[in-house]
Amino acid sequence: MKRLPVKKKRVYHAIVEQIKSGMEKEELVHGEKLPSERYLADELSVSRTSVKEAFSVLEAAGVVEIKHGSGVYLRKNTKEDLIAKMNAVIRGVTVDIVELMELRLAIERDATYYAAIRGSDQDLQAIYDALHELEIAVLQGNIAAEEDLTFHMAIARAAGNSVIEKVMYMLSDQVLAGLKESRSNTLSQPNNSRTVLEEHRNIYDAIKAGDALKARESMSTHLHNVKERYL
């Protein structure tokens, strides 16, 4: 890999940056063996301990696989997925956004279906109020992660399933962290703010109409799009 300047602060982050740069320039390919600790330490003028720390963090993040006696290998995930995971490491995000989105999809898709069937007038008002607050926050230029979470939690309560509500509550801290990361990333792009708001309106409209299938489809579309925009 071509050597880039390495900052002394958060050395392992800088090493991750080097590996990410190598992937972006296609000097490194998924599934490929990474250079050795000794080589990277010499090439980047850092200690082998810092390289070992970077490898450990990347292993925990699902970017690399450490095969003792063989070396360190990039996982065979897509290039986009590996880069997204490395971006999360560099930004200090402890939650894996992609895995979190997959879990949310599994839970919230059907939660929305049930909300359309079982949601009371009070539930619908709570979802509408959350949507209204989300719209205000977005129009004011805020990241609006808390408002986004309130909207999704209101749907979970409207599903009329105490287990779904409890699971969403247990996940709420991670969901909020994920929303802060994904919204700050995706909303920085032109027109994404209005697109995301429209997706939320579609979900609300389907629930209000009692169209369970459309509600589930709207939530599925929204969460898939969040994942794609993040990547």
Side-chain angles (χ1 to χ4, degrees), residues 2-200:
K2 183 179 180 181
R3 181 175 176 174
L4 298 175
V6 178
K7 297 179 181 179
K8 293 182 179 179
K9 187 177 180 180
R10 295 182 180 178
V11 178
Y12 82 85
H13 280 186
I15 296 168
V16 173
E17 284 273 17
Q18 309 299 312
I19 296 171
K20 188 185 81 160
S21 176
M23 284 209 70
E24 290 172 336
K25 297 174 182 177
E26 298 187 349
E27 296 170 351
L28 293 172
V29 182
H30 58 179
E32 184 174 81
K33 183 179 178 179
L34 292 177
S36 68
E37 285 180 15
R38 183 187 299 276
Y39 175 86
L40 285 174
D42 291 342
E43 185 71 10
L44 303 176
S45 299
V46 297
S47 69
R48 291 185 64 179
T49 300
S50 295
V51 177
K52 187 184 294 290
E53 183 181 12
F55 284 166
S56 295
V57 171
L58 289 175
E59 182 182 36
V63 175
V64 304
E65 181 180 3
I66 299 176
K67 298 181 180 180
H68 296 289
S70 177
V72 180
Y73 295 80
L74 286 168
R75 291 192 177 274
K76 295 181 180 179
N77 305 40
T78 64
K79 173 183 174 181
E80 292 76 16
D81 181 45
L82 292 177
I83 288 175
K85 290 177 186 292
M86 283 187 275
N87 281 334
V89 168
I90 293 164
R91 293 169 187 159
V93 179
T94 56
V95 62
D96 186 311
I97 303 296
V98 175
E99 290 185 357
L100 180 62
M101 292 309 305
E102 291 173 355
L103 177 59
R104 288 185 61 192
L105 184 62
I107 298 171
E108 294 191 62
R109 182 166 44 191
D110 281 353
T112 309
Y113 176 92
Y114 292 125
I117 296 174
R118 302 170 180 164
S120 64
D121 290 342
Q122 185 177 357
D123 290 328
L124 288 174
Q125 187 62 48
I127 298 171
Y128 174 79
D129 290 344
L131 176 62
H132 182 62
E133 291 299 317
L134 175 62
E135 183 172 15
I136 291 174
V138 169
L139 292 177
Q140 289 176 342
N142 300 327
I143 292 177
E146 289 85 356
E147 291 81 1
D148 200 325
L149 175 62
T150 299
F151 177 83
H152 287 271
M153 291 299 293
I155 292 174
R157 284 190 291 272
N161 183 309
S162 62
V163 178
I164 288 176
E165 185 176 356
K166 287 176 183 176
V167 169
M168 284 296 293
Y169 179 78
M170 287 188 292
L171 291 172
S172 60
D173 286 346
Q174 287 185 302
V175 172
L176 181 58
L179 285 169
K180 287 178 179 177
E181 172 69 9
S182 63
R183 289 186 68 89
S184 63
N185 183 47
T186 61
L187 297 185
S188 64
Q189 302 300 317
N191 302 319
N192 271 356
S193 296
R194 294 192 179 279
T195 299
V196 173
L197 271 178
E198 188 63 29
E199 289 172 6
H200 284 83

